[in-house]
Amino acid sequence: MTSPSPVATRPRRRLRIGDRLSRPAYVGTAVATFVVLIAVWWLVSATGLVDPMFLPGPGAVLGALAEQAASGELWADIGVSSFRILVGFSLATVMAVPIGTLMGVNARIEAALEPLMDFIRYMPVVAFVPLTIVWVGIDESQKFLIIWMGTFFQQVLMVADAVRRTPRTLVRLGETLGLSWAQLLTRIVVPAALPRIWDALRITLGWAWTWLVVAELVAASSGMGFRITVAQRFFETDLIIGYVFVLGMLGLILDQLMRAAGRRMFAYQEGRA
């Protein structure tokens, strides 16, 4: 009688807390999740459990998107919305990163600004939409302002928190070497905080898309939010769901691109390589 092979009797290794999947396993699991969700969606619509007026099937949604793509409206809407995101998010980031950095390294600036930032960030941006229309009208400036308001205050606080988490041992080492305050900031604090700052920007980019759609739903004549509003007036549920899916896909692509860029730029940090 032959003894069982050691490979055959080797117990399967369980994932422990903090373990990460290999890249192929991660992608495979993520794709499987989407496939299962789409299959359930198709099954529900095909069996008639839900009225197509409220939940059209995947085929109807793809057909509506194909018509929009063929007419060029889909690409025009994506271009307009992407431009608004680029401008509004860039303005917020350019302002938030230096202010948040100063808050993270200077206790007096932190005391002066952090309560104000906390106060404003709890105000719902949606409530400011009518005010922004009164302040700047309904042109592109209003869209930029809504995106800025929805991301800037959150970014400042997240950047400040990232800077505050710089290891004190690194700062003391720089002080021992005789570095000036500016040198400590540019050579130690900012490089150490950059990975977490990058993650903060990646997260707030998703919020920027949310606030863009809010602005376009209320006061716009173009863009993806505007197209959703028009579709709602004519009960074109398939087009509404299609545009929502496109928004999600754009967000997923941007998020993955920023993740990949972060892994490359900060490969020295444990867990990113």
Side-chain angles (χ1 to χ4, degrees), residues 31-225:
V31 170
T33 300
F34 280 95
V35 170
V36 169
L37 289 176
I38 293 174
V40 171
W41 175 23
W42 174 85
L43 184 63
V44 169
S45 61
T47 55
L49 293 177
V50 181
D51 191 321
M53 173 66 70
F54 303 105
L55 184 65
V61 171
L62 287 176
L65 283 178
E67 290 181 5
Q68 290 295 109
S71 66
E73 288 185 343
L74 176 62
W75 312 118
D77 291 333
I78 292 176
V80 169
S81 295
S82 298
F83 171 74
R84 290 167 177 164
I85 282 289
L86 176 64
V87 176
F89 184 76
S90 297
L91 287 173
T93 300
V94 168
M95 297 174 64
V97 171
I99 294 175
T101 301
L102 291 176
M103 282 177 56
V105 298
N106 189 295
R108 191 171 298 277
I109 295 177
E110 177 186 1
L113 295 182
E114 187 171 51
L116 176 63
M117 297 294 170
D118 278 324
F119 172 72
I120 297 176
R121 78 183 179 97
Y122 279 106
M123 296 179 181
V125 178
V126 177
F128 282 94
V129 172
L131 282 175
T132 59
I133 295 175
V134 173
W135 291 340
V136 298
I138 59 173
D139 60 6
E140 295 300 300
S141 301
Q142 189 263 346
K143 316 302 181 296
F144 301 153
L145 182 56
I146 288 293
I147 296 170
W148 181 87
M149 293 179 68
T151 55
F152 169 75
F153 301 100
Q154 308 282 356
Q155 280 184 340
V156 168
L157 294 171
M158 294 177 74
V159 169
D161 182 67
V163 171
R164 280 194 290 265
R165 292 170 62 186
T166 302
R168 296 299 303 169
T169 53
L170 293 179
V171 177
R172 293 192 183 99
L173 176 62
E175 292 172 343
T176 302
L177 295 174
L179 297 182
S180 65
W181 186 88
Q183 290 173 326
L184 285 172
L185 187 64
T186 56
R187 296 185 184 182
I188 293 181
V189 175
V190 172
L194 269 179
R196 288 184 291 273
I197 293 175
W198 185 259
D199 286 337
L201 299 182
R202 180 175 60 84
I203 293 170
T204 54
L205 179 60
W207 300 342
W209 276 99
T210 300
W211 299 122
L212 166 73
V213 174
V214 168
E216 291 181 340
L217 286 173
V218 176
S221 57
S222 61
M224 304 192 70

Side-chain angles (χ1 to χ4, degrees), residues 213-220 223-236 240:
V213 174
V214 168
E216 291 181 340
L217 286 173
V218 176
M224 304 192 70
F226 167 75
R227 199 65 56 190
I228 290 173
T229 302
V230 174
Q232 181 264 336
R233 294 172 186 166
F234 296 97
F235 298 99
E236 295 175 330
I240 295 174

